[in-house]
Every structure is written in structure tokens, then in C-alpha cells.
């Protein structure tokens, strides 16, 4: 990093108000740490500046979820006129999105370094000082984790830059960067609060540190470093989260509610362990594009206007099994009209013309809704991810899935499984029907099922569940036995029908060997965590990135509607060089010790 990338220290760390107060008496071009960090409040302001990086545009406001193709085989950039950019694997080392990512991450590291160098200055409660230090250490390590994941070997800078001279820094090998990341995170884990003490998902807790450590070790164990001994570390850190009796993490009973909570500023740290916080309240407005740039397209202000830049691949849509109600929450089974009503897609329509449904503007509580921007939070670590990481690492360590690993996967799948109506069979069509009769479901200990009958020739010929925006069809939930179907009205009589139901036991996985279990995990992570910014990196660490995306290109060419075949472009463009981003050309010019990544 060159000194020109370091903005004045106090402005960088203390926020706008504190900056104005300082600049009333100090010049703009002076780095003056001796005049700052003298109180506990200064440290808190400084820590807020380190956190602030997460919500910046080059990171999670939109770039990481929309512009960097992190959805990999799950989605595509749904704009026919766009032919270049990282989202299409067609760009150069001068691309501004890549430069912004690099410089913003190093800006966060610089802020953390300055805080850590001065954390012992104020007279204050030592426990609180430890919390601040731990959070800063973790965030510095996390920013390095994003750098090494995206760029490979990177300069490892652990002190503030104080001079314009001598700032050429060579790239440290990725293994050394991982060593520093895990060193910092382990120290942080001893200092930060527990999840129950932190109380809000936006703050680093022991559970967040442990879960991200599991992710770091999984990346280190996989391609390209292939340090397979690290699978044990990944398993052990995930297990610490699972075994934490005080924090008592668990899955939210409703997969859909997880994302409603992000829209409505509700915390559920049992499931959502760490998240990036956005807000539209008072003077603390910091908005992102979650639910807008990645979400369901809308031109209706009451629903909330949204671009919906990311379309869904049919591969992802087809990967969900019957009974898996996660599909129609993750992938919207409807589109909005200009008036805000829902037009449902036919079940036979391929996934290509659907958009991401996890984050929905209609669920936001803030009114009036900001145009194209949202206050919706974004998960960086959910408990379901921890369970799946544990299962994957445990399988690698043991050479076969243990019962604990199987149970972890089944827990995730069962949470996303229906307990509603599976099938409806017309037993007798009756006679004399002049209009569709009313269909009701009674008993079975469940509720919520709704269906419509079709009449032809005076008989009931079919009964079909009504469309539902969350679970696909209004199959209801909670049924332990098949309910009785009653058919009334319509001018006729004698029609009868019978139902079958789904059970959560249907979700349980079959017996598998090591390879089969890994293949299931690879699919299950996509079904559970799609569009949450991890798929590209998962495919890379499994060393199946390029061949997987080439398969999607072929599927697009063969199966996509004619007006959406342009979606194959990004998958056709991808090359092995896209496993890493290029070092920005600007940085190569500033730092003479940097060398470019292969293929760029």
C-alpha cells in the first residue's frame, strides 16, 4: 500500500462529527495519533470506523453480492446489454470494482492497525479494552481473509504507514497470510464477548470468531493450498459453536423468518451469528442494495423499488427436491406487476427467468421506502453454515461421515422441509358440478392448506394447491396425519379426494460414503446458502470452479428461453485465471515489489 491510500488518521477513524471537531484546530494533512485515542470514546469511535468498511459499496452494500459473481453456478447477471465486468468474467486489471475492493479492504486494515497500536493509551476498564482490541483484531484478520480469498498472495501490513518513503511491500505467500489471520482470530476469541453478551448480530462475538475460523480453515485445507491437516481445525472450531451451551445456537424453526428478520431489523443470534447491519433510522442511515440489486424486481414504491440484477440458474432451481420449501423462498416463484400484485410462475417454467427471493422489500417496515436502497441486513455467518462446515470437515477427517456429521446435515434439511400436503388425488369426480366447488382440509393437526378444484363435464377432475409466495404452494404445515378433504358447493355432489403429507423424516439423507457425502454437502450448501456470497469460493476450494461453470454454460445454451440465452456469456467467459482477481494495475504502478497473478 502507498501512503496516498491512507486518508488522515482521525477522519479515517472517528466518524464525521469527531472529524469536524478535530479539524477545527488541526490541519488536514497531519497524521496525529498522539492527539487521539486518549479516551475510551476515542477507541469506540475508532472501532466503529473499522466496522464501517463492511457496509461500504465495494464490500457488502452490493459489490460482493452483485458485481463479483460470487453466486457462481447459482445465478447470472440478468442484463442483456451488459457484456463486461467482473460479474461476467470479462474485465482487466484496471477494472474499478477490483481496485475499490482492494483499496477498501486495505483501508479497513489500516484503521484496525492504528487502533491496535493505540488501544492501551486510555485509562479505562480492562475488560472493555479487551473487547475493543479483540473486535479490531478479528476485523483486520477478516479483511485479510477476503484479500487472500480473492487475490491470493497479498502484502501483509500490520503497522500503520507513517511515511511516504519505503512503502513498497512484496506479496506474502498465502500460507503466511492464513497464519496471521488465524493468529489474530484466536487471540480475538479470547477477548470478545459471548454471543449472548454481544446481543446483536452486527457485533463480533466468540461464536462469530469461532465460526469464521472454521471457514478460514476450510479454505486453507482446500484448493489451491491443499493443507488438508486444517480440516481438523475447521471441524474443531465449528464444534465449539455447536457445543456452546451458554449461547445455545439453534436453527430458527422457519427458514423464511430468517430473512424476514433481516428486513425488519430483528435479531436472532441463535441462528444469525454475524451480519452486516444497514439502517434507515434517524441520523444513522446507512443503506445497501440487499433486496434491491439482489432481490425481486419491482417498480412499485409501496412494495419498494428494486432492480433485481441477479437471475437464477435452472441448475439451482432443479437441485431442490419435492418437499424442500427453501426453494420458493430462495428463488421467487412470482414477479410483481407495476401495481404491486404478484404474478405467479408456472411450476414448469425453468428457473432462468426467476430472481432471488430471500430478501424482499415488501417485508421492510420503514416507510416511505428509500428508492432502490434498503435497510436490510446481510448474514455473514448463520448457524446452518456452521453445521454444514462441521459435517464437511468431519467427513474429511474421518474418511466417512460420522453420525454427528449426518445429524448436522439432517438438522439443516429438516428445518427446510415441509410438513404440509404432498399430493391430492381425486377419488371420485361426482356429478352435476356447474362451477368449482370449495375445498377444505380438516384434521391432521395441521393448518394452512388451500386448494382449488377444476370442473369439466360436471365432474371434479383435479384439485390443485393454491400458489403461495413463500412455500411455492399453500401446502400448509404441521400435519402429522393426512387431513380429510371436504368438497362442497358448486351445484354438484359426490366428489371425494384424499391427501398425503410430507414429514420431516423425508428430509433425512441416505447412507453415503465419503465421496457421496461430500457431493451432497456441495449441493446442500447451495440450497441453504445460495446468494449469500460464498458459492464461488466453495467451488474454488473444491477445485471444481471452471468445469462446473462450463456445465452451466452448456445448460444455458440448450435449455434457456431464447430471450435469456445471453446468460451463458459469463459462464462461457470463465477461465482458470478467474479463480483469483488480478492485482489492480494502479497498485502495480505504486508498489514496485508487487507482481501480477497468473493469466492477467
Amino acid at each position: 500500500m502507498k501512503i496516498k491510500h491512507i486518508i488522515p488518521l482521525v477522519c479515517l477513524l472517528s466518524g464525521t462529527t469527531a472529524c469536524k471537531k478535530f479539524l477545527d484546530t488541526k490541519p488536514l494533512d497531519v497524521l496525529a495519533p498522539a492527539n487521539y485515542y486518549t479516551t475510551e470514546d476515542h477507541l469506540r469511535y475508532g472501532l466503529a470506523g473499522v466496522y464501517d468498511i463492511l457496509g461500504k459499496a465495494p464490500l457488502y452494500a452490493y459489490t460482493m453480492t452483485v458485481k463479483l459473481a460470487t453466486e457462481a453456478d447459482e445465478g447470472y447477471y440478468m442484463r442483456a446489454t451488459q457484456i463486461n465486468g467482473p460479474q461476467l468474467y470479462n474485465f482487466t486489471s484496471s477494472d474499478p470494482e477490483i481496485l475499490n475492493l482492494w483499496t477498501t479492504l486495505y483501508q479497513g486494515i489500516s484503521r484496525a492497525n492504528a487502533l491496535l497500536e493505540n488501544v492501551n493509551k486510555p485509562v479505562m476498564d480492562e475488560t472493555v479494552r479487551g473487547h475493543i482490541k479483540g473486535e479490531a483484531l478479528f476485523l483486520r484478520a477478516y479483511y485479510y481473509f477476503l484479500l487472500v480469498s480473492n487475490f491470493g498472495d497479498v502484502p501483509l501490513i500490520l503497522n500503520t504507514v507513517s511515511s511516504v518513503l519505503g512503502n513498497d511491500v512484496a506479496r506474502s505467500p498465502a500460507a503466511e497470510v492464513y497464519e496471521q489471520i488465524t493468529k489474530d482470530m484466536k487471540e480475538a476469541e479470547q477477548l470478545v464477548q459471548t454471543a449472548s453478551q454481544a446481543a446483536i448480530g452486527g457485533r463480533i462475538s466468540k461464536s462469530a470468531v469461532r465460526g469464521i475460523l472454521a471457514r478460514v480453515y476450510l479454505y486453507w485445507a482446500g484448493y489451491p493450498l491443499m493443507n488438508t491437516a486444517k480440516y481438523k481445525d475447521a471441524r474443531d472450531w465449528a464444534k465449539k459453536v455447536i457445543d456452546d451451551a451458554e449461547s445455545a445456537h439453534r436453527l430458527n424453526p422457519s427458514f423464511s423468518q430468517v430473512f424476514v428478520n433481516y428486513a425488519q431489523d430483528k435479531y436472532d443470534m441463535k441462528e444469525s451469528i454475524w451480519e452486516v447491519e444497514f439502517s434507515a433510522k434517524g441520523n444513522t442511515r446507512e443503506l445497501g442494495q440487499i433486496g434491491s440489486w439482489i432481490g425481486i424486481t419491482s417498480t412499485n414504491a409501496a412494495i419498494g423499488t428494486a432492480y433485481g440484477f441477479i437471475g437464477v440458474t435452472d441448475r439451482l432451481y432443479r437441485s431442490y427436491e419435492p418437499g424442500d420449501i427453501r426453494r420458493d423462498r430462495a428463488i421467487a416463484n412470482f414477479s410483481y406487476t407495476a401495481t404491486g400484485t404478484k404474478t405467479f410462475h408456472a411450476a414448469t417454467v425453468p428457473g432462468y427467468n426467476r430472481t432471488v427471493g430471500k430478501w424482499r422489500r415488501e417485508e421492510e417496515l420503514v416507510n416511505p421506502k428509500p428508492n432502490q436502497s434498503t435497510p436490510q441486513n446481510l448474514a455473514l455467518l448463520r448457524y446452518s453454515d456452521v453445521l454444514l462446515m462441521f459435517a464437511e470437515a468431519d467427513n474429511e477427517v474421518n474418511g466417512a461421515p460420522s453420525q454427528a456429521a449426518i445429524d448436522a446435515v439432517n438438522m439443516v434439511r429438516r428445518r427446510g422441509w415441509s410438513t404440509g400436503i404432498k399430493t391430492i388425488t381425486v377419488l371420485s369426480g361426482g356429478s352435476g358440478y356447474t362451477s368449482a366447488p370449495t375445498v377444505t382440509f380438516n384434521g391432521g393437526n395441521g393448518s394452512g392448506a388451500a386448494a382449488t378444484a377444476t370442473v369439466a363435464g360436471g365432474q371434479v377432475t383435479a384439485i390443485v394447491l393454491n400458489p403461495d409466495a413463500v412455500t411455492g404452494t399453500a401446502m400448509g404445515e404441521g400435519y402429522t396425519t393426512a387431513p380429510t378433504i371436504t368438497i362442497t358447493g358448486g351445484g354438484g355432489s359426490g366428489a371425494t379426494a384424499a391427501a398425503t403429507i410430507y414429514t420431516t423424516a423425508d428430509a433425512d439423507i441416505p447412507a453415503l460414503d465419503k465421496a457421496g457425502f461430500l457431493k451432497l454437502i456441495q449441493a446442500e450448501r447451495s440450497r441453504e446458502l445460495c446468494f449469500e456470497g460464498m458459492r464461488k469460493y466453495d467451488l474454488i476450494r473444491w477445485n471444481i470452479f471452471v468445469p462446473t461453470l462450463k456445465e452451466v454454460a452448456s445448460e444455458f445454451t440448450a435449455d434457456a428461453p431464447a430471450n435469456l440465452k445471453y446468460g451463458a456469456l459469463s459462464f462461457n467467459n470463465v477461465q482458470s485465471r478467474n479463480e483469483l482477481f488480478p492485482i489492480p494495475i494502479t497498485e502495480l504502478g505504486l508498489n514496485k515489489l508487487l507482481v501480477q497473478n497468473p493469466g492477467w
Side-chain angles (χ1 to χ4, degrees):
M1 288 295 295
K2 283 289 187 178
I3 191 67
K4 69 176 285 186
H5 291 282
I6 309 300
I7 67 175
L9 181 65
V10 174
C11 282
L12 181 136
L13 293 169
S14 62
T16 304
T17 303
C19 236
K20 288 181 178 177
K21 291 179 180 177
F22 181 78
L23 292 175
D24 287 341
T25 56
K26 301 294 180 184
L28 282 167
D29 59 348
V30 172
L31 292 170
N35 296 325
Y36 205 68
Y37 302 111
T38 57
T39 69
E40 180 179 327
D41 279 347
H42 287 175
L43 292 186
R44 292 186 184 278
Y45 290 142
L47 182 61
V50 184
Y51 271 103
D52 180 61
I53 294 298
L54 294 169
K56 295 293 187 184
L59 268 71
Y60 296 112
Y62 64 83
T63 299
M64 293 289 283
T65 55
V66 179
K67 291 290 190 74
L68 298 186
T70 54
E71 72 280 352
D73 61 333
E74 297 168 346
Y76 65 101
Y77 200 71
M78 206 175 188
R79 291 295 184 276
T81 56
Q82 186 81 28
I83 60 173
N84 52 44
Q87 66 270 50
L88 295 166
Y89 302 106
N90 184 25
F91 61 101
T92 69
S93 60
S94 62
D95 187 272
E97 301 288 358
I98 304 304
L99 175 62
N100 288 342
L101 178 64
W102 173 282
T103 56
T104 302
L105 288 169
Y106 272 110
Q107 186 181 67
I109 290 164
S110 177
R111 295 182 182 190
N113 285 341
L115 176 58
L116 291 167
E117 288 175 1
N118 292 278
V119 72
N120 292 320
K121 285 176 68 173
V123 176
M124 60 184 293
D125 181 89
E126 290 302 320
T127 300
V128 175
R129 189 196 312 276
H131 295 161
I132 293 172
K133 180 180 179 181
E135 291 170 59
L137 275 169
F138 174 83
L139 288 168
R140 180 176 72 177
Y142 186 73
Y143 297 147
Y144 269 119
F145 177 50
L146 295 181
L147 280 165
V148 76
S149 301
N150 284 289
F151 296 96
D153 303 347
V154 292
L156 192 58
I157 301 168
L158 303 176
N159 302 103
T160 55
V161 177
S162 57
S163 169
V164 296
L165 303 175
N167 289 314
D168 288 341
V169 182
R171 300 170 68 181
S172 295
E176 290 183 16
V177 181
Y178 275 108
E179 291 284 3
Q180 184 64 45
I181 290 167
T182 53
K183 175 179 179 292
D184 280 355
M185 287 189 177
K186 288 176 182 177
E187 183 177 355
E189 190 261 349
Q190 296 294 309
L191 296 171
V192 299
Q193 295 174 305
T194 65
S196 55
Q197 291 169 335
I200 60 173
R203 186 161 194 181
I204 304 303
S205 67
K206 289 186 185 296
S207 296
V209 177
R210 293 165 178 168
I212 296 298
L213 266 168
R215 186 181 297 168
V216 169
Y217 278 116
L218 273 182
Y219 283 35
W220 196 353
Y223 179 83
L225 296 184
M226 304 296 287
N227 189 339
T228 56
K230 301 304 178 183
Y231 280 118
K232 182 179 184 302
D233 295 286
R235 180 192 65 178
D236 293 348
W237 282 106
K239 191 73 160 52
K240 285 180 182 289
V241 181
I242 295 169
D243 291 344
D244 184 351
E246 178 188 345
S247 298
H249 292 290
R250 55 153 179 74
L251 298 175
N252 189 302
S254 167
F255 179 76
S256 183
Q257 187 62 40
V258 172
F259 301 96
V260 174
N261 289 344
Y262 296 136
Q264 298 181 357
D265 209 20
K266 297 176 180 176
Y267 296 109
D268 173 16
M269 290 191 66
K270 302 297 185 186
E271 159 100 18
S272 185
I273 297 172
W274 185 33
E275 57 199 66
V276 183
E277 295 190 272
F278 295 97
S279 176
K281 295 180 179 179
N283 295 321
T284 60
R285 293 170 66 93
E286 183 174 23
L287 300 168
Q289 270 68 44
I290 307 304
S292 173
W293 286 29
I294 183 166
I296 308 169
T297 305
S298 168
T299 59
N300 183 272
I303 292 293
T305 54
Y307 283 118
F309 281 124
I310 302 299
V312 175
T313 63
D314 194 52
R315 165 177 288 226
L316 175 64
Y317 182 74
R318 288 185 287 103
S319 74
Y320 291 92
E321 303 157 70
D324 192 336
I325 59 177
R326 293 174 297 181
R327 185 192 68 183
D328 292 292
R329 176 69 207 203
I331 303 170
N333 66 333
F334 65 90
S335 58
Y336 294 113
T337 67
T339 60
T341 59
K342 295 180 176 72
T343 299
F344 287 92
H345 302 304
T348 55
V349 172
Y352 298 112
N353 67 340
R354 301 169 193 253
T355 51
V356 180
K358 280 186 171 179
W359 306 277
R360 304 181 179 192
R361 297 220 60 190
E362 66 178 288
E363 294 169 344
E364 296 169 19
L365 300 180
V366 174
N367 280 302
K369 294 179 179 177
N371 184 34
Q372 302 291 359
S373 297
T374 84
Q376 297 201 37
N377 291 1
L378 176 70
L380 296 183
L381 179 68
R382 294 198 286 117
Y383 186 55
S384 56
D385 186 10
V386 174
L387 291 169
L388 293 174
M389 288 192 291
F390 166 77
E392 180 184 346
D394 186 76
N395 183 50
E396 294 292 336
V397 171
N398 292 322
S402 67
Q403 189 59 50
I406 293 168
D407 290 345
V409 175
N410 284 342
M411 190 182 304
V412 174
R413 285 171 59 85
R414 283 186 171 216
R415 189 271 297 272
W417 215 258
S418 174
T419 53
I421 305 300
K422 183 176 185 179
T423 65
I424 301 172
T425 302
V426 176
L427 301 177
S428 172
S431 62
Y433 291 97
T434 56
S435 62
T438 299
V439 179
T440 57
F441 299 84
N442 302 291
N445 301 312
S447 62
T452 300
T454 300
V455 171
Q459 293 186 316
V460 173
T461 56
I463 297 176
V464 179
L465 291 169
N466 294 341
D468 178 81
V470 173
T471 55
T473 57
M475 61 188 75
E477 61 183 353
Y479 292 99
T480 56
T481 60
T484 299
I485 297 178
T486 303
I487 302 170
T488 58
S493 63
T496 59
T500 63
I501 61 170
Y502 291 104
T503 70
T504 54
D506 296 337
D508 291 351
I509 63 175
L512 296 165
D513 61 11
K514 179 185 176 183
F517 191 75
L518 174 59
K519 188 173 182 179
L520 181 139
I521 288 286
Q522 290 171 344
E524 195 61 34
R525 285 188 62 82
S526 189
R527 288 189 283 260
E528 174 71 20
L529 303 167
C530 56
F531 307 110
E532 295 181 40
M534 287 178 281
R535 186 61 174 177
K536 175 184 175 182
Y537 309 106
D538 279 347
L539 293 180
I540 289 169
R541 66 184 179 83
W542 293 323
N543 200 19
I544 58 174
F545 174 63
V546 173
T548 298
L549 268 59
K550 293 304 182 184
E551 289 173 5
V552 177
S554 297
E555 291 165 5
F556 251 99
T557 301
D559 303 330
N563 66 320
L564 294 177
K565 286 189 182 295
Y566 70 84
L569 179 62
S570 61
F571 305 106
N572 282 321
N573 286 340
V574 75
Q575 306 172 46
S576 59
R577 73 173 189 170
N578 295 118
E579 292 169 348
L580 293 175
F581 288 139
I583 304 301
I585 192 169
T586 302
E587 294 298 316
L588 291 173
L590 293 169
N591 182 346
K592 302 306 181 185
L593 295 182
L594 289 179
V595 294
Q596 186 57 275
N597 277 326
W600 294 99

